[in-house]
Amino acid sequence: MALNEIMSKTCNDVNNENHDNNNINNETDIDDMDDNDIDNRINNNSNQLDQALNRLQNAGNKIFESEEMIEKRRDIIREVSKLSTKWIQHCLETHDILPKEDIERSSCYIFPFGSYELNAHFESSDIDLLCVGPKQITRDMLFTEFVKILESDQRVTDILQLRHAFVPLLKFTFEGIDIDLVYAQW
């Protein structure tokens, strides 16, 4: 059964249960209910939601990520962070921006955002990352020097530069996971 069919059936089942139980569709004014009735309605609705989520999760589709996939995404974020730091240090050295001892301590910060960070993503979803680096490292360097580093890494494929987008970004695939990376200077 396709994912949209399962979700549709689950939603219909929940609606039918609610209608049959007269819980949600009841027009009773909440002011006329006592605390016990309100608690019962909330608990019943919460139980129905839990049952619906369990049906979706047990349906055999990849709606929720496996523990292995969760760990793989975390590893990928760490690896992209390492590549980004390598790029930052390379730019600082190549452009003679800082003394060597300061370059070795320099890094960038990688912040996940979007559906991944909100834990509202599917197994097939991309990871949105914000790379924050020193003000001396420009977005042009991202699209030239960082792209070269990505191109030399066998784990990275499908590099797409969106320089003129409203929010310029790099799109690439890292070990099978799509990454959207934006850059900001501090």
Side-chain angles (χ1 to χ4, degrees):
M1 190 178 289
L3 174 61
N4 58 348
E5 292 171 338
I6 293 169
M7 292 179 77
S8 178
K9 181 179 178 344
T10 301
C11 291
N12 287 336
D13 290 350
V14 169
N15 284 336
N16 290 338
E17 289 171 12
N18 288 336
H19 183 65
D20 292 345
N21 295 332
N22 209 17
N23 286 328
I24 290 180
N25 295 327
N26 189 343
E27 296 297 324
T28 306
D29 192 302
I30 198 162
D31 292 331
D32 297 335
M33 298 173 67
D34 65 19
D35 289 345
N36 241 3
D37 290 337
I38 293 171
D39 287 343
N40 287 339
R41 182 176 285 185
I42 290 170
N43 288 335
N44 189 26
N45 291 343
S46 180
N47 288 337
Q48 289 175 359
L49 178 59
D50 288 342
Q51 290 170 4
L53 289 173
N54 284 336
R55 281 194 296 258
L56 286 172
Q57 192 166 15
N58 295 329
N61 287 292
K62 296 188 178 204
I63 296 170
F64 303 102
E65 281 191 312
S66 65
E67 289 298 319
E68 296 83 30
M69 196 63 177
I70 291 169
E71 193 56 39
K72 179 179 180 179
R73 284 180 182 269
R74 288 181 185 145
D75 290 343
I76 286 173
I77 292 170
R78 281 190 286 273
E79 291 302 312
V80 170
S81 181
K82 288 177 188 175
L83 286 174
S84 301
T85 295
K86 177 181 173 182
W87 162 61
I88 294 290
Q89 291 174 347
H90 168 78
C91 288
L92 292 171
E93 184 177 351
T94 303
H95 298 282
D96 202 26
I97 296 171
L98 290 176
K100 189 148 183 82
E101 58 274 2
D102 291 337
I103 292 172
E104 291 171 2
R105 292 192 319 259
S106 298
S107 66
C108 63
Y109 298 98
I110 295 288
F111 299 102
F113 66 98
S115 63
Y116 174 78
E117 183 62 17
L118 293 171
N119 201 21
H121 62 282
F122 296 107
E123 192 165 299
S124 61
S125 298
D126 67 358
I127 302 174
D128 299 309
L129 297 176
L130 168 64
C131 176
V132 181
K135 64 183 176 187
Q136 299 90 339
I137 307 303
T138 66
R139 194 172 285 137
D140 283 338
M141 293 173 181
L142 172 78
F143 289 117
T144 55
E145 297 171 54
F146 189 56
V147 167
K148 288 178 186 172
I149 289 173
L150 292 176
E151 288 172 338
S152 69
D153 194 310
Q154 294 179 352
R155 301 170 295 179
V156 178
T157 60
D158 304 323
I159 300 168
L160 178 63
Q161 301 177 43
L162 299 173
R163 291 174 179 247
H164 303 292
F166 185 72
V167 177
L169 72 139
L170 276 178
K171 295 176 82 64
F172 56 94
T173 303
F174 193 102
E175 294 184 347
I177 302 293
D178 293 331
I179 306 291
D180 289 352
L181 185 129
V182 296
Y183 180 70
Q185 300 161 296
W186 76 70

